[in-house]
Amino acid sequence: MIGNKTFAIIKPSAVKDNHIGEITAMIEKKGFRVNAMKLTKMSFDDASKFYNVHKDKPFYNDLCKYMSAGPIMPLILSKENAVKSFRNLIGATNPAEAQEGTIRHKFGKSIDENAIHGSDSDENAANEMDFFFTKNEIF
Ligand code: CMP
């Protein structure tokens, strides 16, 4: 079944560069509804758990360091076919390959500092939402 919710994180570099407003505006303009959002910060240990699926990748340590280096903004978003539709809006993982009009093309600086995360499946979206939000924080 195709779900209508996805999970996103505005990453530390984009928060630091003051792009929260422009990025959430692009998300809302594409027809997503914001069901939950907050400004928070992960410890290195939190990031290691969140990115456990990448634990064997060469970039795992740098990824955890970067994602715990400053405030981030996790969000829960809804729209029909949310996961796929949101992946289209954010663009390719490497901003150099992301199409014009995508969030990573506009705000991504490198493959690490690629501005935003979007879940890649309904199952991962559900797990990632649970990692950051309790039931009473979701509307
Ligand atoms: P994201 O898909 O949000 O979550 C995993 C992150 O790892 C990814 O974004 C990139 O920012 C980062 N990363 C660094 N190097 C790579 C790589 N070679 N392939 C995929 N992701 C990478």
Side-chain angles (χ1 to χ4, degrees), residues 11 51 54 59 63 66 87 93 104 110-114 116-118:
K11 297 190 177 186
Y51 285 110
H54 294 306
F59 56 83
L63 173 63
Y66 164 63
R87 300 275 288 184
T93 304
R104 284 170 169 164
S110 66
I111 194 158
D112 295 309
E113 299 188 341
N114 64 357
I116 192 152
H117 165 80

Side-chain angles (χ1 to χ4, degrees), residues 48-138:
S48 310
K49 287 184 186 127
F50 184 76
Y51 285 110
N52 189 46
V53 299
H54 294 306
K55 70 177 183 319
D56 297 325
K57 307 265 173 62
F59 56 83
Y60 178 62
N61 196 58
D62 284 349
L63 173 63
C64 296
K65 246 200 258 174
Y66 164 63
M67 287 302 292
S68 58
I72 55 169
M73 178 161 279
L75 304 105
I76 296 178
L77 303 167
S78 57
K79 187 187 174 179
E80 201 177 312
N81 199 2
V83 166
K84 186 156 187 269
S85 177
F86 194 67
R87 300 275 288 184
N88 289 340
L89 174 61
I90 67 178
T93 304
N94 186 348
E97 290 162 16
Q99 280 182 9
E100 219 176 310
T102 63
I103 294 174
R104 284 170 169 164
H105 180 267
K106 194 155 184 204
F107 299 109
K109 300 199 277 198
S110 66
I111 194 158
D112 295 309
E113 299 188 341
N114 64 357
I116 192 152
H117 165 80
S119 303
D120 61 4
S121 68
D122 288 347
E123 192 191 350
N124 284 341
N127 291 334
E128 291 170 3
M129 287 173 209
D130 282 350
F131 190 93
F132 282 100
F133 294 103
T134 57
K135 267 203 181 115
N136 65 355
E137 292 175 314
I138 303 169

